[in-house]
């Protein structure tokens, strides 16, 4: 273990898109900083998606501050995003240390003591950009422990191939549920369960419109069309839907040993259940700070901790910045977090 002391420096925890956007503004502000990331390669969560995933906006609407994502002529795949983030980091010669896990952040006096898998660091400001993919959320459901089949979260799903010819339940009415149900359709025997009927955005509406709506809402201006939770009809979803392969049924009530059962007594044998039920922010390293919490999340004032502007939260979604969990939306919140911390 080595110990480094960084005078008047900032540490960014997490080297995905949110960490890089924060690094961009720290660099512009002339602050000495380091990004610590526990992965061995660039790309953050985009390295862990399923193969057929497509962005819900074209490349030109999926860019971080400073440099536009190279166009692809359609909706980019995750590999394109990984390439973009890799080049983005190189373009601005960002000091990203990979394979370094931040274990604990403490505030023993002025500034922060940050314990990592590679030693202890000291910094005046800490920006958390650890994302959510490493904390998949699966709701508790009656009988789940008795089910003899496979259960996995969308975070672990890669492709339809292992499920060929098998009976699969996909749970979740958001974009992940729709995309995975579409990916499996025609290959597996799919049952798509959602608590509410899924709402598809019109085909001509994509992530650009969602971002516009989010920006309006951030300024307290109107709702715009649809809800931000609506499903974007990306090409694979549209193809499955148009082929009549995307049917939704209400959520089942409980598991049985062999499958699932609905409240009307219907049962269905099932080989696998894929939970597309979202994620939670990965913030366990902040436990020693004993931050005040609202609804289980640290209390924030925009993208910084309430009463602690030198502790930033970038990229986790609406609780710390509307649309901050998107490529195009994260930049404005990274800029604000850096400005607030330096003030
Ligand atoms: P991440 O990419 O997860 O990066 C965080 C990094 O921090 C990771 O490398 C992680 O390993 C690391 N880390 C975590 N904990 C620690 C620690 N303690 N110490 C050190 N490192 C740590 N957005 C769009 O703009 N367009 C889309 O089309 C789109 N589609 C999506 C589809 C799906 C299915 C999902 C799940 C999300 C989608 N998003 C989309 C949302 C969003 O862009 C991603 O979730 C994004 O990857 C989040 O970036 P991030 O930098 O906040 O987190």
């Amino acid at each position: 273990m080595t110990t480094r002391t960084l005078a008047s420096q900032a540490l960014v925890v997490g080297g995905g898109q949110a960490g890089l956007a924060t690094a961009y503004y720290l660099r512009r502000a002339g602050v000495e900083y380091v990004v610590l990331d526990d992965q061995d390669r660039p790309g953050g969560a985009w390295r862990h998606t399923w193969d057929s995933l497509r962005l819900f906006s074209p490349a030109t609407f999926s860019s971080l501050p400073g440099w536009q994502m190279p166009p692809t002529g359609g909706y980019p795949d995750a590999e394109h995003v990984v390439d973009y983030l890799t080049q983005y980091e190189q373009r601005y010669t960002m000091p990203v240390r990979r394979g370094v896990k931040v274990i604990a952040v403490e505030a023993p006096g002025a500034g922060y003591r940050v314990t990592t898998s590679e030693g202890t660091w000291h910094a005046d400001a800490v920006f958390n950009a650890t994302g959510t993919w490493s904390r998949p959320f699966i709701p508790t459901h009656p009988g789940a422990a008795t089910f003899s089949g496979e259960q996995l979260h969308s975070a672990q799903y890669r492709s339809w191939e292992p499920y060929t010819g098998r009976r699969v339940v996909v749970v979740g009415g958001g974009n992940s549920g729709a995309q995975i149900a579409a990916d499996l359709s025609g290959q597996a025997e799919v049952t798509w369960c959602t608590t509410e009927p899924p709402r598809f955005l019109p085909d001509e509406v994509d992530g650009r419109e969602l971002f516009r709506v989010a920006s309006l809402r951030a300024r307290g201006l109107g709702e715009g069309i649809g809800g931000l939770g609506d499903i974007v009809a990306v090409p694979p979803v549209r193809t499955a839907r148009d082929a009549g392969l995307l049917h939704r049924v209400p959520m089942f009530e409980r598991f049985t040993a062999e499958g699932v059962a609905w409240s009307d007594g219907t049962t269905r044998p099932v080989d696998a259940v894929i939970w597309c039920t979202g994620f939670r922010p990965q913030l366990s390293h902040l436990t020693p700070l004993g931050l005040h919490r609202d609804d289980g999340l640290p209390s924030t004032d925009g993208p910084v901790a309430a009463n602690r502007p030198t502790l930033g939260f970038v990229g986790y979604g609406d609780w710390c910045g509307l649309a901050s969990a998107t490529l195009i939306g994260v930049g404005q919140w990274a800029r604000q977090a850096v400005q607030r911390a330096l003030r």
Side-chain angles (χ1 to χ4, degrees), residues 28-246:
R28 273 208 357 192
V31 174
E32 196 191 350
Y33 71 93
V34 172
V35 181
L36 304 178
D37 186 63
D38 62 4
Q39 302 290 293
D40 56 4
R41 283 176 295 169
W46 295 105
R47 284 201 174 278
H48 304 273
T49 66
W50 52 94
D51 301 345
S52 69
L53 182 138
R54 292 289 175 278
L55 292 193
F56 46 68
S57 312
T60 44
F61 280 82
S62 304
S63 300
L64 294 180
W67 183 50
Q68 196 171 80
M69 182 184 284
T72 55
Y75 295 84
D77 61 14
E79 203 179 323
H80 189 72
V81 184
V82 171
D83 287 348
Y84 170 64
L85 295 180
T86 305
Q87 289 176 52
Y88 187 89
E89 187 177 313
Q90 290 164 354
R91 182 184 180 93
Y92 297 111
T93 53
M94 291 172 168
V96 184
R97 298 195 170 214
R98 291 231 140 71
V100 182
K101 185 172 180 65
V102 171
I103 296 159
V105 176
E106 296 159 281
Y112 298 92
R113 181 169 60 217
V114 179
T115 307
T116 82
S117 56
E118 298 293 322
T120 303
W121 297 64
H122 295 271
D124 292 337
V126 171
F127 297 89
N128 299 282
T130 46
T132 60
W133 75 265
S134 54
R135 268 194 77 199
F137 172 71
I138 296 183
T140 51
H141 212 66
T146 62
F147 176 55
S148 57
E150 178 187 359
Q151 289 189 65
L152 67 154
H153 189 274
S154 62
Q156 296 149 330
Y157 178 81
R158 292 292 167 269
S159 88
W160 52 266
E161 283 173 56
Y163 302 98
T164 311
R166 295 173 71 197
R167 299 159 301 188
V168 183
V169 167
V170 176
V171 179
N175 282 292
S176 304
Q179 286 198 27
I180 290 179
D183 194 50
L184 288 161
S185 64
Q187 311 294 339
E189 198 182 300
V190 185
T191 305
W192 181 27
C193 295
T194 69
T195 48
E196 302 292 331
R199 293 186 308 174
F200 287 89
L201 284 166
D203 285 4
E204 66 280 11
V205 174
D206 62 21
R208 285 172 286 197
E209 182 61 12
L210 296 183
F211 180 67
R212 192 186 69 77
V213 172
S215 305
L216 284 175
R217 284 188 188 168
R219 288 185 278 141
L221 301 170
E223 286 272 309
I225 58 132
L228 290 178
D230 286 339
I231 296 167
V232 180
V234 289
V237 169
R238 207 178 300 175
T239 304
R241 185 203 60 196
D242 293 349
L245 296 172
L246 216 47

